[in-house]
């Protein structure tokens, strides 16, 4: 019945202060208040309805997404929402759209790689959405290999311009979100050519479409790359294709924070000395076309990817917690087998197999939340250091963002699929929310750096650390523990067989390194002051589950390396079962602490009141296929079939 909480008996079992845990999950009392208010605002506004998405054609879905993006922007303006509130609103609207890339990549790239002057020119336009940007790096022929990009940016000293060109089919920009139909501008990454010499890949601001009639500018061939995985909401994103035909842009549209070009003997006196916002020695291109890289690491060009990767780790905890919330609530509602003397059947959440599949994912959602908080701090710290020309922690920041992005997105994508399976057949219904969540989420394992490619970066960082063991350069920060692997030094010559040869094993070592990071950051979180009755105790249980589940999953490695004995392994498994029993009475309260509205969850199986069956039944009849009792096509195809004379005895 409506209004009845079918999970009340579960909520009454809770042994901790759920409201206090909501604040821990949100990050602070202020963050909770903002999230709570904005999520309810979105949920209560019919303009943000999303339960009809699965019945829309791609063009209807896309147009509806444009409507929602415009409506969200109007809401932000009308309600004078702050940047924080606006970001929360876009999050709870939960619609993959060009705005994700405009706010999540285009603006950060200008902030991270633009000079003060370039920021002053372009950011106000972007913040007011008077231009809409995309991040055009990937090409048809290259995505992972950024240095292999083929788009060219040739400097023309006669006109003080760059000529942007797509010399080959494989140089076509391919995948950038928002590019296909909406973006008016792009940060386009291209191979810089000055005086006939290639100077590496740099970012350029390029206008794509007219701000008057939205038509592509001369020299631009641009469109959408077509339908993507499943029928999910990601098809509302216009990932695009773009070819440049000798498009000219002013020299001051090259993102110059990491490099500069002054041509001392340029015919015109348009000598442009841009003071970058980090005080670096000016790199100069002399009139002979000699280019000297400025003294910042060229990898600063990759800065936007560092930023996005750390946001993707936070996104992982959100996506996984959504799936776990749905599967946990439904596991408490669903009863199957086990009836005693005609009594109720057993809740599937009480089966040890269900717990051993579900509770490690619940623990992972919390673990990723906390490592995501730490990574946000690390990113802010490295950004501050860069301002002071301190590049010392850049390699570690790259390894951490790359590795944690890879680890958390793989675990989350697998976890969403596991949550679908934990819900049995009903998990396969769109109304469960899980198929779409999976379809929208899984590209996170690929975009912003393919996960294996990123783990190879971590492996390279670890091997570089090993190679420095014994030198005066002591490992610090997240690799400080490696001082305890001196024995690796002796076998160092063994690993000289070649990084490529050992890469599959090194990727596993990289995963282990990142899992150690997650566990250690969870432990550090528990060392903080955590208010609320029983809250810290619950988090300790979840931290132990996360760690012991990893120990159980990788038992072979721990045993074969002598890190643990078989007795330790047995004790760990016993403890894991005991921990599952400790979580069981608190499971519903632990997912309530995510504070997701039914609108945001978008799931009948995960609805707050647990009133699943009536809602499933009601939703079925809303499907367009049920608009007519006799389906279209019956008279054309089925009736002739049913009425056909059986002409051959054989049938
Ligand atoms: C609500 C619903 C939401 C829906 C979702 C919508 C959201 C959508 C949002 C998402 C949309 C998706 C958007 C997108 O998808 S945008 C496109 C994303 N593309 C990528 O991520 C490309 C991945 N490839 C690379 O990053 C580079 O090519 C790599 C790194 C692989 C190689 O690189 P490279 O070939 O140059 O050479 P190298 O390997 O010799 O490295 C050389 C040195 O540089 C260091 N180094 C490397 N990288 C970095 C770095 N970053 N910061 C600092 N340092 C770095 C490295 O450690 C090494 O140091 P050392 O060993 O020499 O000391
Ligand atoms: C939904 C979605 C949105 C996207 N949005 C954007 C965007 O807005 N802007 C943008 O610029 N790009 C975007 N991309 C592109 C994305 O960044 C790339 O697809 C991604 O970086 C992977 O590169 P790739 O496709 O070249 O994969 P590849 O590198 O071709 O991967 C194919 C396989 O090769 C393996 N491999 C590659 N190199 C190595 C190596 N050195 N050693 C071992 N194995 C290797 C990989 O592990 C993988 O298994 C998006 C992609 C998707 C799916």
């Amino acid at each position: 019945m409506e209004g009845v909480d079918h999970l009340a008996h579960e909520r009454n079992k809770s042994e901790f202060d759920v409201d206090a845990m909501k604040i821990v999950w949100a990050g602070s009392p202020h963050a909770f208040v903002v999230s709570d208010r904005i999520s309810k605002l979105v949920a209560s506004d019919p303009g943000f309805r999303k339960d009809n998405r699965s019945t829309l054609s791609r063009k209807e879905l896309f147009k509806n997404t444009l409507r929602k993006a415009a409506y969200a922007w109007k809401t932000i303006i009308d309600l004078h929402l702050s940047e924080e509130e606006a970001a929360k609103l876009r999050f709870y609207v939960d619609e993959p759209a060009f705005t994700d890339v405009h706010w999540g990549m285009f603006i950060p790239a200008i902030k991270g790689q633009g000079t003060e002057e370039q920021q002053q020119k372009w950011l106000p336009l972007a913040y007011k959405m008077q231009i809409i940007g995309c991040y055009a790096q990937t090409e048809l022929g290259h995505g992972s290999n950024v240095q292999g990009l083929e788009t060219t940016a040739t400097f023309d000293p006669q006109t003080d311009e760059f000529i942007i060109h797509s010399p080959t089919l494989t140089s076509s920009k391919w995948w950038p979100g928002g590019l296909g139909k909406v973006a008016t501008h792009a940060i386009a990454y291209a191979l810089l050519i000055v005086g006939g010499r290639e100077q590496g890949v740099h970012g350029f601001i390029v206008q794509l479409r007219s701000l008057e009639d939205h038509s592509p500018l001369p020299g631009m061939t641009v469109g959408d790359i077509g339908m993507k995985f499943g029928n999910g909401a990601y098809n509302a994103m216009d990932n695009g294709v773009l070819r440049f035909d000798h498009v000219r842009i002013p020299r001051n549209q090259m993102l110059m924070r990491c490099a500069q070009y002054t041509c001392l003997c340029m015919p015109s006196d348009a000598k442009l000395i841009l003071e970058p916002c980090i005080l670096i020695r000016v790199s100069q291109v002399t009139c002979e076309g000699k280019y000297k890289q400025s003294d910042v690491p060229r990898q600063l060009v990759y800065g936007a990817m560092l930023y996005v990767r750390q946001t993707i780790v936070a996104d992982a905890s959100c996506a996984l917690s959504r799936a776990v919330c749905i599967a946990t609530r439904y596991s408490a509602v669903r009863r199957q087998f086990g009836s005693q003397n005609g009594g109720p059947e057993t809740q599937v959440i009480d089966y040890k197999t269900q717990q051993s599949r579900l509770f490690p994912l619940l623990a992972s959602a919390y673990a990723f939340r906390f490592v995501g908080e730490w990574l946000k701090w690390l990113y802010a710290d490295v950004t501050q250091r860069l301002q002071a020309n301190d590049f010392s922690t850049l390699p570690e920041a790259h390894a951490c963002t790359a590795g944690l992005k890879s680890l958390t997105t793989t675990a989350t994508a697998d976890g969403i699929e596991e949550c679908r399976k934990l819900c049995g057949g009903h998990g396969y219904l769109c109304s469960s929310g899980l198929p779409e969540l999976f379809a929208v989420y899984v590209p996170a394992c690929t975009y912003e750096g393919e996960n294996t490619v990123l783990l190879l970066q971590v492996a390279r960082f670890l091997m570089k650390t090993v190679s420095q063991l014994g030198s005066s350069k002591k490992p610090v920060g997240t690799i400080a523990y490696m001082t305890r692997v001196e024995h690796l030094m002796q076998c160092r010559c063994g690993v000289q067989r070649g990084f490529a040869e050992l890469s599959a094993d090194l990727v596993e070592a990289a995963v282990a390194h990142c899992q150690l990071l997650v566990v250690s950051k969870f432990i550090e979180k528990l060392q903080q002051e955590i208010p609320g009755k029983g809250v810290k105790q619950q988090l300790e249980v979840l931290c132990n589950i996360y760690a012991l589940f990893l120990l159980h999953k990788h038992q072979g490695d721990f045993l074969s390396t002598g890190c643990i004995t078989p007795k330790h392994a047995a004790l760990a498994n016993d403890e894991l079962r005991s921990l599952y029993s400790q979580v069981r009475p608190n499971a519903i309260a632990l997912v309530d602490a995510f504070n997701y509205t039914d609108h945001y969850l978008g799931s009948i199986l995960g609805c707050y009141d647990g009133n699943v069956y009536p809602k499933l039944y009601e939703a079925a009849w809303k499907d367009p296929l049920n608009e007519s009792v006799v389906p279209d096509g019956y008279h054309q195809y089925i009736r002739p079939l049913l009425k056909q004379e059986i002409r051959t005895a054989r049938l």
Side-chain angles (χ1 to χ4, degrees), residues 101 105 135-138 142-144 175-177 234 239 443 446-450 452-453 456:
V101 185
M105 301 208 66
Y135 184 89
Q137 178 177 294
T138 302
H142 292 92
S144 291
W175 273 114
Y234 214 110
N239 298 90
T446 308
Y447 62 54
E448 214 48 65
E450 198 282 327
T452 300
V453 170
L456 287 166

Side-chain angles (χ1 to χ4, degrees), residues 58 61-62 96 224 226-238:
R58 188 186 183 199
L61 179 70
F62 181 72
D224 184 88
M227 281 288 278
K228 294 170 284 274
F229 185 92
N231 207 14
Y234 214 110
N235 284 299
M237 178 80 82
D238 53 325

